[in-house]
Amino acid sequence: GLYQAQDYKEAAAKYQEVLASDPNFMTPDGVTPYFFVANSYDNLYKPARKGEAENDAFLTKAIENYKIASEKDTNPKMRNLALDYLVYAYLQLADDKNARAVVEQMTAVSGYKRFAGFYALAASTARYAVERGDWKGAAQLQVSPTQFAYADAITHFARALGAAQDSSRARSLHR
């Protein structure tokens, strides 16, 4: 389809048509079109064009639809993915407060059983520190071991990156 072909403008329009006819549309596995609408708009947003009204509107629409997906999708994988991408979208706008609130919301959830939950939590927590250049915070991230080493690796990487950046800054101040 259009989304898989990366024709995000047309994909967003088609998903919006589906939602206009049935705002509660859901696949049998609990997925709504909201994540795909959001991700289509997210892919249309270009950080280099930040400040241009049409471009900025893409990210605003992405955020609106990621929020809805995180509330309406009953499929945990898609709900967690929507929250993860929502954190990143807020960070693109330098909206640290809302990004942090979503990370806290994700952290408050327990009982993840599948990779998507562990990945989304690790990625969002790491991304919140790294994207903001909070090297000390990244270095201090807590690793919560799971059965998915590749999800745990995200936190280890962010910690190492934070430690390297933080020690590099400390050394540069003493030169």
Side-chain angles (χ1 to χ4, degrees):
L2 297 168
Y3 182 83
Q4 289 80 5
Q6 298 180 356
D7 185 352
Y8 297 115
K9 192 169 193 173
E10 290 300 317
K14 290 293 182 187
Y15 287 126
Q16 290 286 30
E17 283 179 26
V18 169
L19 291 169
S21 66
D22 182 2
N24 295 313
F25 177 87
M26 187 175 295
T27 65
D29 60 344
V31 179
T32 70
Y34 289 102
F35 173 83
F36 297 100
V37 171
N39 196 246
S40 294
Y41 285 128
D42 202 348
N43 279 288
L44 291 169
Y45 174 76
K46 304 298 176 219
R49 294 181 40 221
K50 186 175 182 177
E52 296 177 20
E54 181 181 0
N55 184 57
D56 291 352
F58 291 137
L59 197 53
T60 300
K61 289 177 183 178
I63 287 171
E64 291 168 2
N65 285 284
Y66 284 139
K67 282 184 191 176
I68 296 169
S70 74
E71 295 164 0
K72 287 192 170 205
D73 279 21
T74 58
N75 180 305
K77 175 183 174 184
M78 296 308 293
R79 186 174 51 248
N80 290 325
L81 199 56
L83 289 169
D84 179 25
Y85 282 39
L86 182 58
V87 169
Y88 188 64
Y90 280 136
L91 290 170
Q92 291 291 304
L93 293 175
D95 186 348
D96 296 353
K97 180 181 175 188
N98 278 317
R100 182 76 207 150
V102 177
V103 169
E104 288 173 0
Q105 174 187 350
M106 294 171 76
T107 304
V109 174
S110 61
Y112 291 121
K113 293 181 178 25
R114 297 178 183 241
F115 170 70
F118 295 112
Y119 169 83
L121 180 59
S124 292
T125 305
R127 188 176 294 123
Y128 180 76
V130 171
E131 288 288 329
R132 294 170 40 254
D134 178 6
W135 306 121
K136 185 176 183 179
Q140 294 174 349
L141 288 172
Q142 296 300 307
V143 178
S144 300
T146 70
Q147 68 264 36
F148 302 104
Y150 40 100
D152 301 346
I154 295 167
T155 306
H156 286 289
F157 179 78
R159 285 174 54 92
L161 183 61
Q165 291 293 329
D166 200 36
S167 67
S168 294
R169 285 178 185 230
R171 280 195 308 272
S172 71
L173 293 174
H174 296 290
R175 286 186 187 164

